[in-house]
Amino acid sequence: EAGVTQFPSHSVIEKGQTVTLRCDPISGHDNLYWYRRVMGKEIKFLLHFVKESKQDESGMPNNRFLAERTGGTYSTLKVQPAELEDSGVYFCASSLSLAKNIQYFGAGTRLSVL
Amino acid sequence: DAKTTQPPSMDCAEGRAANLPCNHSTISGNEYVYWYRQIHSQGPQYIIHGLKNNETNEMASLIITEDRKSSTLILPHATLRDTAVYYCIYTNFGNEKLTFGTGTRLTIIP
């Protein structure tokens, strides 16, 4: 069984550019989460999808971040325009509904904004 | 945000049991204790969870005190591959966000 996959593994962009991160959850997992760790900080929650609906987006830092999950399968996280403080590692996780909140994480996308 | 307290770092000799403590004095009655770990350059990995009874799986054991204000994760025979940052988290059983603290950096020494 394939795990959570994230693409790209590393992205280097200049300030002001746009970047789109992709997450493919484990097949059949209705819950999809985005987290990030910025330099020297703790891993922080960004948002939670249940199928295609945003269940909780309380962690989204500002309106430069847009997450989508069309069709309830893969998800994208777009940062537009990127700022220096957006640099960090973005993790995606997925879980089954009614599955004891066991979240399976991808390896992350390392975003470097120069 | 749910807050836990863990020692910042610990060492353990290879082959010995690693005992990682966590204080979660503000946990409420319907919240579970979860342990995750993050091995360098990988995403966090689920280890074990529990409510009030001790739990064991193929990876570890979880001992929760009777008052539920603290717990200990036990890796019975630590290997070098267990070197990682270990996070103790408490949250509701439903599919909710995980609140990560600073964790404990466990180093297994050959």
Side-chain angles (χ1 to χ4, degrees):
Chain A
E1 178 183 296
V4 176
T5 57
Q6 294 187 245
F7 182 83
S9 57
H10 194 179
S11 179
V12 181
I13 61 171
E14 293 187 350
K15 176 183 173 180
Q17 290 186 322
T18 296
V19 63
T20 299
L21 313 181
R22 172 169 170 146
C23 170
D24 286 76
I26 294 173
S27 177
H29 282 197
D30 288 338
N31 296 279
L32 187 149
Y33 308 81
W34 285 97
Y35 295 83
R36 75 171 180 176
R37 183 204 296 273
V38 296
M39 183 71 73
K41 301 289 188 180
E42 299 162 10
I43 298 172
K44 293 289 189 184
F45 166 81
L46 295 179
L47 88 160
H48 170 203
F49 284 99
V50 178
K51 297 185 179 179
E52 67 274 11
S53 299
K54 293 177 184 175
Q55 180 78 10
D56 179 358
E57 52 185 326
S58 61
M60 294 289 266
N62 51 61
N63 59 10
R64 295 186 293 104
F65 288 75
L66 175 64
E68 295 180 323
R69 192 183 182 196
T70 306
T73 55
Y74 71 91
S75 174
T76 57
L77 180 65
K78 179 189 291 187
V79 185
Q80 179 182 28
E83 298 289 346
L84 300 179
E85 63 265 25
D86 300 331
S87 295
V89 182
Y90 289 76
F91 294 104
C92 175
S94 70
S95 71
L96 279 170
S97 292
L98 307 178
K100 311 172 186 177
N101 206 14
I102 297 173
Q103 298 184 21
Y104 297 87
F105 284 77
T109 293
R110 180 173 296 278
L111 175 63
S112 299
V113 183
L114 306 179
Chain B
D1 286 351
K3 297 291 291 183
T4 59
T5 304
Q6 299 179 252
S9 64
M10 293 181 63
D11 293 339
C12 179
E14 186 179 16
R16 303 297 293 270
N19 295 271
L20 291 89
C22 178
N23 181 288
H24 33 79
S25 58
T26 57
I27 194 170
S28 62
N30 61 345
E31 291 178 315
Y32 283 67
V33 178
Y34 292 81
W35 283 82
Y36 281 75
R37 72 180 182 183
Q38 186 178 20
I39 296 170
H40 183 61
S41 298
Q42 298 181 21
Q45 175 191 26
Y46 165 81
I47 301 172
I48 198 167
H49 73 279
L51 181 63
K52 56 183 178 181
N53 297 319
N54 298 338
E55 302 288 344
T56 295
N57 64 19
E58 65 277 6
M59 290 182 68
S61 294
L62 174 60
I63 309 297
I64 302 173
T65 58
E66 192 168 343
D67 64 7
R68 300 205 331 117
K69 293 185 177 182
S70 66
S71 62
T72 300
L73 178 74
I74 301 171
L75 307 178
H77 305 287
T79 71
L80 298 179
R81 289 176 295 181
D82 292 322
T83 292
V85 179
Y86 287 76
Y87 298 97
C88 167
I89 299 166
Y90 65 86
T91 187
N92 287 312
F93 200 60
N95 296 296
E96 297 188 4
K97 64 184 178 183
L98 300 175
T99 301
F100 290 85
T102 53
T104 295
R105 182 173 298 277
L106 175 67
T107 302
I108 306 302
I109 301 171

